[in-house]
Amino acid sequence: MINIGVLASGRGSNFQSIIDSIKSGALNARVACLITDNPEAYAIERAKSHNIPHVYVNPADFTGKDMFYRRIADELKVCGVELVALAGFMRVVKKPLIEAFPMRIMNIHPALLPSFKGLHAQRQALEYGVKIAGCTVHFVDEGVDTGPIILQEAVPVLSNDSEDSLSERILTCEHRIYPLAIRLYAEGKLKVIGNTVKIEE
Ligand code: GAR
């Protein structure tokens, strides 16, 4: 069983999908702690209702981003975390955290990378006019949404889609592929070769 640390800034529905996958027995893992950068994050309520320890780390308490991420890395290590899952964590992760967990930080992004990196990916997809959108789980490196891709799932973009309706369709896929990617990691089936990830049978 692996210890997961989750970082979230808001609603935390992806965090919930990880919790649900563990509860159902599909994912042999334990969420050792939730870390948020937002004291109002609904993810905190989810942690409380499942007895998951949660820590709020206030970026304003630190002189620079490196210190902020060093603190987060320290909190995760204290909890015995082996894999970090970014679940709607709306910040670019910096070196001290990445170096503390090399190729052991995953992120879920609401677009088919390498298209539509950064914020408001679903809006970017609508504005570009693509007909297929989707989501990506990837390992985190020092770029923004550039790390090795683990899993992706596609959805159609419908002609009457709003940002909300497209986001909702993509979210359903997020909740499927994020716990699955974590499970593949936990089972030792992910091999990172350069910028690609091979999934072993
Ligand atoms: C999700 O759609 C996630 O993919 C996205 O934020 C949402 C968080 O929802 N993440 C990013 O855009 C990261 N750049 P949630 O809090 O309900 O999991």
Side-chain angles (χ1 to χ4, degrees), residues 26-38:
L27 175 59
N28 186 20
R30 171 177 161 266
V31 181
C33 66
L34 168 76
I35 295 182
T36 78
D37 59 344
N38 169 15

Side-chain angles (χ1 to χ4, degrees), residues 10-15 46 87-90 107-110 118-120 122 145 171 174-175:
R11 180 179 57 182
S13 72
N14 278 291
F15 174 38
R46 300 182 194 270
F89 186 66
M90 297 316 226
N107 181 43
I108 179 89
H109 183 73
L119 293 176
H120 307 299
Q122 305 93 330
D145 301 324
L171 198 62
E174 295 184 34
H175 296 163

Side-chain angles (χ1 to χ4, degrees), residues 4-199:
I4 304 170
V6 175
L7 270 59
S9 300
R11 180 179 57 182
S13 72
N14 278 291
F15 174 38
Q16 186 70 50
S17 77
I18 295 167
I19 295 170
D20 292 346
S21 184
I22 292 171
K23 296 243 174 224
S24 77
L27 175 59
N28 186 20
R30 171 177 161 266
V31 181
C33 66
L34 168 76
I35 295 182
T36 78
D37 59 344
N38 169 15
E40 309 288 319
Y42 187 69
I44 294 171
E45 303 309 315
R46 300 182 194 270
K48 283 182 186 162
S49 58
H50 292 91
N51 292 316
I52 294 168
H54 59 93
V55 182
Y56 162 51
V57 185
N58 183 355
D61 288 346
F62 300 87
T63 46
K65 286 183 183 162
D66 279 4
M67 301 294 276
F68 171 67
Y69 285 107
R70 196 155 293 133
R71 175 62 177 280
I72 290 179
D74 288 347
E75 294 283 353
L76 292 165
K77 294 279 181 191
V78 165
C79 294
V81 165
E82 299 162 271
L83 177 71
V84 182
L86 308 185
F89 186 66
M90 297 316 226
R91 289 173 187 275
V92 177
V93 171
K94 298 291 182 195
K95 221 174 189 157
L97 181 54
I98 294 168
E99 286 182 347
F101 293 91
M103 289 301 143
R104 290 193 288 136
I105 306 174
M106 282 186 192
N107 181 43
I108 179 89
H109 183 73
L112 292 174
L113 291 172
S115 294
F116 312 127
K117 300 181 176 96
L119 293 176
H120 307 299
Q122 305 93 330
R123 191 187 303 166
Q124 292 183 53
L126 279 177
E127 285 174 355
Y128 200 93
V130 294
K131 305 301 181 203
I132 303 283
C135 53
T136 303
V137 183
H138 64 96
F139 284 115
V140 172
D141 64 11
E142 284 180 38
V144 177
D145 301 324
T146 52
I149 291 173
I150 302 166
L151 289 176
Q152 296 186 297
E153 191 171 333
V155 300
V157 180
L158 306 180
S159 55
N160 59 350
D161 261 334
S162 63
E163 191 177 342
D164 281 350
S165 65
L166 179 59
S167 299
E168 193 56 42
R169 193 173 310 118
I170 293 172
L171 198 62
T172 307
C173 301
E174 295 184 34
H175 296 163
R176 203 167 18 241
I177 67 170
Y178 208 6
L180 178 56
I182 294 170
R183 189 178 111 196
L184 291 168
Y185 179 91
E187 292 173 349
K189 292 185 175 164
L190 301 181
K191 294 282 170 279
V192 181
I193 303 166
N195 203 46
T196 68
V197 178
K198 296 277 178 254
I199 302 175

